[in-house]
């Protein structure tokens, strides 16, 4: 039979270390959540640019975060944006041609390729860019711009969200393990 005796000072030291870990755990969880959200933005940009004719900087610009903190361990990624003209995605031709006009084609999604836009035509707006429009009714000036989905609508695509959730779960587990190891003093 082996007897182990623990002194009062060793017991107090162990209790204070465990108490410190318990007090610091919300901070560690909040850090893990915030690091996970940074990676979530990366996943959103990667998945969206692979599936749609969008620029990475536009996707990044539409995303903002509500960070987690020790008092509230919940973080949120929010995408805000308005609808854009189809000219901001894929449009061919991008300028009207003289002579025999070429039919206007456009796409937002990479998968399906360019689709004919029917009776749409290009109009030069301020700034020198051309935008696709179509006529409404019979009046000369009655026309609407061809617009596409907003960035939040594009980002919340089922496939994109699924890939982002999968990456977030894995990243959170890894980050939480790292933060716990740091709390225990295993990592510098």
């Amino acid at each position: 039979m082996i007897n182990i005796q623990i002194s009062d000072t060793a017991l107090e030291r162990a209790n204070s270390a465990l108490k410190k870990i318990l007090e610091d755990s919300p901070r560690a969880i909040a850090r893990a959540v915030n690091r996970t959200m940074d990676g979530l933005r990366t996943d959103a940009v990667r998945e969206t640019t692979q599936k749609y004719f969008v620029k990475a900087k536009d996707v990044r610009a539409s995303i903002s975060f509500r960070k987690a903190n020790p008092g509230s361990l919940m973080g949120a990624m929010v995408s805000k944006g308005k609808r854009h003209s189809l000219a901001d995605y894929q449009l061919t031709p991008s300028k009207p041609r003289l002579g025999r006009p070429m039919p206007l084609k456009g796409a937002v999604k990479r998968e399906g390729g360019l689709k004919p836009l029917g009776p749409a035509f290009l109009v030069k707006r301020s700034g020198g860019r051309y935008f696709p429009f179509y006529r409404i009714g019979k009046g000369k000036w009655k026309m609407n711009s061809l617009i596409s989905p907003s960035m939040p609508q594009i980002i919340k695509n089922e496939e994109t969200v699924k890939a982002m959730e999968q990456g977030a779960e894995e990243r959170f587990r890894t980050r939480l393990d790292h933060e716990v190891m740091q709390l225990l003093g295993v990592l510098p």
Side-chain angles (χ1 to χ4, degrees):
M1 176 176 222
I2 300 173
N3 286 332
I4 299 175
Q5 209 168 18
I6 300 172
S7 68
D8 288 340
T9 57
L11 191 58
E12 285 177 26
R13 199 169 26 156
N15 280 338
S16 69
L18 290 173
K19 187 177 179 185
K20 184 180 181 322
I21 289 172
L22 197 57
E23 289 172 357
D24 290 346
S25 63
R27 191 174 299 116
I29 293 169
R31 281 195 302 255
V33 167
N34 292 335
R35 290 288 300 269
T36 300
M37 286 194 312
D38 288 338
L40 197 59
R41 175 182 21 219
T42 304
D43 291 345
V45 170
R46 185 184 323 109
E47 291 295 322
T48 305
T49 54
Q50 283 176 357
K51 290 181 176 64
Y52 294 91
F53 288 109
V54 294
K55 295 176 186 146
K57 70 174 190 155
D58 294 338
V59 178
R60 259 187 232 100
S62 76
I63 296 173
S64 63
F65 293 113
R66 198 168 42 240
K67 298 256 183 188
N69 59 50
S72 171
L73 298 176
M74 200 158 97
M77 181 179 96
V78 179
S79 177
K80 291 182 181 177
K82 58 182 181 170
R83 296 177 78 170
H84 295 280
S85 170
L86 195 57
D88 292 335
Y89 297 94
Q90 187 73 16
L91 189 65
T92 184
S94 58
K95 294 180 181 176
R97 291 176 44 182
L98 296 174
R100 198 171 116 215
M102 197 171 156
L104 200 56
K105 293 181 181 181
V108 174
K109 213 170 186 180
R110 291 182 187 273
E111 190 176 87
L114 297 174
K115 306 270 194 271
L117 299 177
F121 55 94
L122 292 172
V123 175
K124 190 173 187 177
R125 302 287 303 262
S126 60
R129 284 185 63 200
Y130 288 92
F131 292 90
F133 279 83
Y134 63 95
R135 293 209 188 280
I136 308 169
K138 297 199 186 263
K140 182 178 179 182
W141 300 108
K142 293 182 181 179
M143 55 187 175
N144 272 349
S145 175
L146 281 171
I147 55 175
S148 65
S150 66
M151 198 58 67
Q153 289 173 315
I154 290 173
I155 292 173
K156 75 175 187 179
N157 176 350
E158 286 179 32
E159 299 156 358
T160 305
V161 170
K162 193 174 189 178
M164 287 173 18
E165 285 174 349
Q166 208 170 23
E169 286 177 25
E170 187 178 314
R171 189 173 283 114
F172 180 71
R173 257 186 261 119
T174 306
R175 295 306 316 160
L176 189 59
D177 288 347
H178 177 81
E179 293 294 337
V180 167
M181 293 300 206
Q182 240 178 344
L183 264 180
L184 295 174
V186 176
L187 295 175

